[in-house]
Amino acid sequence: MTDYATLLKESGLKATFQRMNMLENIARHGHMSNDEIYEEVVKSHPSLSLATVYKNIILMVDNGVLVEVPIEGKKSKYELIKDDHIHLVCTECGEVEDKPHNENADALFTSMTKKENFSLSKQQINLYGICASCQIQEAS
Ligand SMILES: [Zn+2]
Ligand SMILES: [Zn+2]
């Protein structure tokens, strides 16, 4: 089990129970919207307000604990900071699937940014489309 208290402290944040609970839920689900995070966390912290959850999400994104995955026409999803990977994002159901990072893509970005003398600090590769199960539903 990941030590979320250490992760938070190393990122310069206080390890509150609410934050640790948020991180546990996000880790279990992979990718969650802020509303989904709130719905889960409020079960163990009933007095928690939506505004507090939103505020903590933004804070944890700013401090590099969480990563925001933008979804066209829908609310962003959030995931724990992980090794670089590629997202397959379904614009129908909002499902986000993690795919292993690709060495060829990595080499392409390295040479491209080097040529532009662009100092790359972070990257996120999101491929948007319609997932297999949504395609089945559309056809029926
Ligand atoms: Zn889908
Ligand atoms: Zn991901």
Side-chain angles (χ1 to χ4, degrees):
M1 186 176 149
T2 317
D3 184 358
Y4 298 118
T6 307
L7 175 66
L8 284 163
K9 282 178 201 153
E10 282 176 357
S11 309
L13 292 170
K14 246 174 85 182
T16 63
F17 285 115
Q18 289 98 316
R19 284 178 191 154
M20 288 197 279
N21 193 255
M22 287 169 72
L23 295 178
E24 279 163 21
N25 277 298
I26 296 165
R28 193 166 345 119
H29 290 87
H31 309 81
M32 294 173 95
S33 71
N34 47 13
D35 291 335
E36 289 166 346
I37 296 167
Y38 172 73
E39 278 163 30
E40 283 300 318
V41 178
V42 82
K43 287 178 190 166
S44 26
H45 301 277
S47 62
L48 210 60
S49 74
L50 190 65
T52 305
V53 171
Y54 281 20
K55 210 177 70 192
N56 273 293
I57 292 169
I58 293 166
L59 197 65
M60 290 197 279
V61 169
D62 286 346
N63 285 268
V65 178
L66 293 179
V67 174
E68 182 175 358
V69 183
I71 302 178
E72 279 177 18
K74 292 193 191 299
K75 288 197 150 190
S76 294
K77 293 219 172 175
Y78 299 87
E79 67 177 343
L80 285 179
I81 186 89
K82 302 174 206 168
D83 290 340
D84 282 344
H85 58 278
I86 296 172
H87 284 138
L88 297 183
V89 183
C90 178
T91 51
E92 285 289 317
C93 65
E95 244 343 277
V96 180
E97 200 184 333
D98 283 348
K99 289 284 162 201
H101 193 66
N102 181 292
E103 275 180 30
N104 296 327
D106 209 27
L108 173 70
F109 298 144
T110 306
S111 74
M112 186 191 294
T113 48
K114 220 172 169 178
K115 215 162 80 187
E116 299 290 333
N117 194 24
F118 182 85
S119 168
L120 188 70
S121 50
K122 64 175 176 185
Q123 63 181 51
Q124 185 179 123
I125 310 169
N126 298 328
L127 306 179
Y128 295 91
I130 298 169
C131 76
S133 64
C134 285
Q135 287 179 47
I136 293 165
Q137 278 170 22
E138 273 191 353
S140 64

